[in-house]
Amino acid sequence: MTTQTEVSWMGALRAGLPADAVLEDAASRAAYSRDSAPFSPAGEPAIVVLPTTVAEVQHVMRTAHAFGVPVVPQGARTGLAGAANADDGCIVLSLLRMNRILEIDPGNRLVRCEPGITNRALSDAVREHGLFFPPDPASTDTCTIGGNIAVGAGGLCCVKYGVTADYVLGLVAVLADGRLMPMGRTTVKGVAGYDLTHLFVGSEGTLGVIVEAVLALRPIRPPSLAMLATFGTATAAGEAIARIIAEGHVPSALELMDKTSSHAVAELGHPMLSADASATLIVECDGNDPANELASIAGLCRGAGALQVTVAADQAESKSVLEARRLVLPAMQAQAARMPGRPTAFIEDVAVPRTKLAPFIDQIASIAEKYRLYISTVGHAGDGNLHPTVVFDKDDPDAFKRAQDAYDAIMAAGLALGGTITGEHGVGILKRDWLRRELDPVNLEMQRGIKRIFDPTGILNPGKVLE
Ligand SMILES: Cc1cc2nc3c(=O)[nH]c(=O)nc-3n(C[C@H](O)[C@H](O)[C@H](O)COP(=O)(O)OP(=O)(O)OC[C@H]3O[C@@H](n4cnc5c(N)ncnc54)[C@H](O)[C@@H]3O)c2cc1C
């Protein structure tokens, strides 16, 4: 039921927006209520606003500020931490319609864009100018640049090219009270003042609404080649990773699949994966002489005890190697289809020091056994960033509880190995309690102070990251 107070602020809100920028029907409000994380609670928004201009975003924030209404900024809601979940009675501010490229500047190798453009659309547009935007989350077709920046997204090629933060030069944000704040630079170098631009990277919509970004680009990358190696133990795969890094190789992807995911992909019929593999490494190189570099890496894998090594001779074979990694999700979906009830996949995100990958994988396998769960682990081994994925029946309260307990156990194991609770998916609601366990109390106090400066009345994405 709409209250009298809601009527007054909603009237003020509608007055400054075109009619088609506002969605109020129950179905739309439900559709925009949550991101892709299955565990995090979500409320029911009072209204969904889809602005197309900066002035409209400012109007939303000024109104919200005047009436004390919470605002939840949203991109494509592919987030996996509940960071874009609505609060009861909030304004959902979806940036999806602000999706224009404002400028591509090959001379300075940068692009200026609005936040709602998808990662794929931006990457395709700059490629036409011989340029490359490296951050490549697996959700690239749908996730937005605003969401990538607000979470600090990563991806497959980050092991060589770095993460989103490394490409954000400047931002324009609308603050909690509606003021517009440009920050950053368009120059290669620049150290004027505190680095507020990078404070916004990973701020998950809690400090301001990003309405424009200036992103650095690289020249388009040369053709790559890939190889695949299977191992009898996670320890042997971990040893191979350590040798590849120690020898100074910088592959453009260094991905690890555990026993469960290797088996699942083998079952789907991928010719390079065998059922006796306890771990699989996929390596891609895009340097000046990828064939030579892969030959050397293949030698290191054999030295670490690889069961089987397949080095692609050409682009077609390379595509088949990389297909093994791409098949992990369909393979898990195939496994889930055989499970009873309403199987749900929950993708975890923990990073550990690279040398701790093997013990971490072994511990995850023990956790799966202890909680009687299907957990398949893949990840960006070159970054030490693993994604254990728990598949469980959402309708079974016991399975739901075991999945949550397993998730806690995985996080605890990652921290105990000197890792971090999130490598690229962010904190959101899901990992808020765990953030307190990871951060030093003084650090946490400073973070709360920063939030108060930017959002003194606490209307911006309340309850996310920090309580
Ligand atoms: C199948 C799948 C694969 C994935 N693979 C990867 C991967 O490889 N690497 C990776 O890093 N992530 C991955 N993700 C997670 C997700 O895609 C990323 O976190 C992505 O950056 C979220 O973008 P989004 O547009 O969907 O943002 P949303 O989920 O809508 O929002 C995420 C956060 O950003 C904030 N936000 C969004 N837009 C703005 C804005 N303009 N201003 C201020 N705050 C804003 C929201 O409030 C929220 O806190 C994957 C997700 C899925 C479903």
Side-chain angles (χ1 to χ4, degrees):
M1 199 174 66
T2 315
T3 65
Q4 203 54 42
T5 332
E6 277 177 359
V7 169
S8 57
W9 71 254
M10 281 168 77
L13 188 71
R14 281 189 210 103
L17 295 168
D20 67 354
V22 170
L23 302 175
E24 296 186 60
D25 60 289
S28 301
R29 288 186 289 120
Y32 285 81
S33 67
R34 62 180 318 130
D35 67 12
S36 306
F39 286 153
S40 306
E44 194 183 324
I47 194 164
V48 178
V49 180
L50 292 125
T52 47
T53 66
V54 173
E56 287 170 13
V57 177
Q58 287 186 278
H59 168 71
V60 171
M61 292 315 303
R62 283 194 195 107
T63 310
H65 180 69
F67 289 89
V69 184
V71 177
V72 177
Q74 278 184 358
R77 289 180 286 104
T78 65
L80 293 167
N85 283 7
D87 291 293
D88 277 331
C90 77
I91 300 170
V92 158
L93 181 57
S94 168
L95 283 307
L96 282 175
R97 290 187 189 164
M98 292 181 66
N99 59 2
R100 292 177 307 154
I101 289 191
L102 304 171
E103 181 187 7
I104 296 175
D105 180 352
N108 288 305
R109 269 196 212 140
L110 53 85
V111 57
R112 201 161 58 85
C113 67
E114 291 183 329
I117 188 165
T118 63
N119 182 299
R120 166 76 68 206
L122 181 107
S123 299
D124 288 349
V126 301
R127 192 177 306 114
E128 285 176 22
H129 296 259
L131 296 165
F132 166 48
F133 179 64
D136 60 345
S139 51
T140 179
D141 289 344
T142 40
C143 68
T144 67
I145 290 296
N148 293 169
I149 296 169
V151 169
L156 256 66
C157 73
C158 296
V159 58
K160 176 167 183 176
Y161 292 100
V163 292
T164 303
D166 299 314
Y167 293 88
V168 182
L169 291 177
L171 295 172
V172 179
V174 174
L175 300 182
D177 59 8
R179 280 178 298 166
L180 200 62
M181 183 174 79
M183 51 197 139
R185 55 194 163 88
T186 51
T187 52
V188 175
K189 291 158 98 180
V191 289
Y194 296 128
D195 190 351
L196 297 186
T197 312
H198 285 96
L199 186 58
F200 266 68
V201 178
S203 64
E204 300 186 22
T206 62
L207 301 182
V209 184
I210 297 161
V211 289
E212 192 179 305
V214 177
L215 305 169
L217 301 169
R218 285 180 165 248
I220 218 157
R221 53 181 184 154
S224 61
L225 278 181
M227 59 155 276
L228 183 147
T230 58
F231 296 85
T233 61
T235 308
E239 177 59 27
I241 294 163
R243 290 186 189 193
I244 293 166
I245 304 289
E247 283 289 313
H249 293 290
V250 189
S252 49
L254 180 47
E255 296 285 303
L256 179 68
M257 293 160 56
D258 75 341
K259 186 175 182 172
T260 309
S261 48
S262 301
H263 283 201
V265 173
E267 258 185 42
L268 274 194
H270 194 287
M272 294 171 197
L273 283 171
S274 55
D276 58 343
S278 287
T280 303
L281 263 193
I282 291 177
V283 190
E284 181 197 51
C285 289
D286 66 357
N288 290 336
D289 189 352
N292 194 27
E293 192 168 11
L294 282 182
S296 156
I297 291 174
L300 294 173
C301 288
R302 287 190 194 97
L307 301 174
Q308 193 188 326
V309 179
T310 312
V311 181
D314 53 29
Q315 294 296 314
E317 272 182 34
S318 211
K319 210 171 155 199
S320 175
V321 167
L322 295 171
E323 182 72 358
R325 173 68 172 86
R326 202 197 60 75
L327 280 176
V328 172
L329 196 59
M332 265 185 310
Q333 283 162 345
Q335 295 285 336
R338 292 201 283 271
M339 288 185 183
R342 197 157 50 108
T344 303
F346 176 70
I347 308 175
E348 241 301 9
D349 167 48
V350 181
V352 294
R354 287 182 289 216
T355 49
K356 298 286 169 52
L357 274 169
F360 191 39
I361 288 179
D362 287 340
Q363 286 186 34
I364 295 167
S366 306
I367 290 166
E369 209 175 304
K370 177 175 174 192
Y371 293 99
R372 292 174 285 116
L373 285 164
Y374 182 87
I375 304 182
S376 121
T377 300
V378 291
H380 316 305
D383 308 328
N385 187 188
L386 291 186
H387 296 309
T389 299
V390 186
V391 185
F392 63 99
D393 178 5
K394 215 175 173 180
D395 285 340
D396 175 353
D398 176 57
F400 193 89
K401 169 85 173 54
R402 281 185 282 117
Q404 275 183 319
D405 289 348
Y407 151 87
D408 278 343
I410 291 169
M411 206 93 66
L415 279 185
L417 288 168
T420 174
I421 56 165
T422 172
E424 55 183 22
H425 292 172
V427 176
I429 301 175
L430 191 70
K431 298 192 171 175
R432 220 171 33 187
D433 294 342
W434 281 95
L435 186 69
R436 280 204 299 270
R437 291 171 67 163
E438 175 167 339
L439 294 187
D440 165 87
V442 179
N443 183 332
L444 201 55
E445 192 185 320
M446 288 302 186
Q447 300 219 11
R448 292 204 171 102
I450 290 168
K451 168 71 176 169
R452 277 195 296 275
I453 291 171
F454 278 93
D455 183 20
T457 58
I459 58 166
L460 262 170
N461 214 3
K464 312 295 165 44
V465 187
L466 303 165
E467 277 178 285

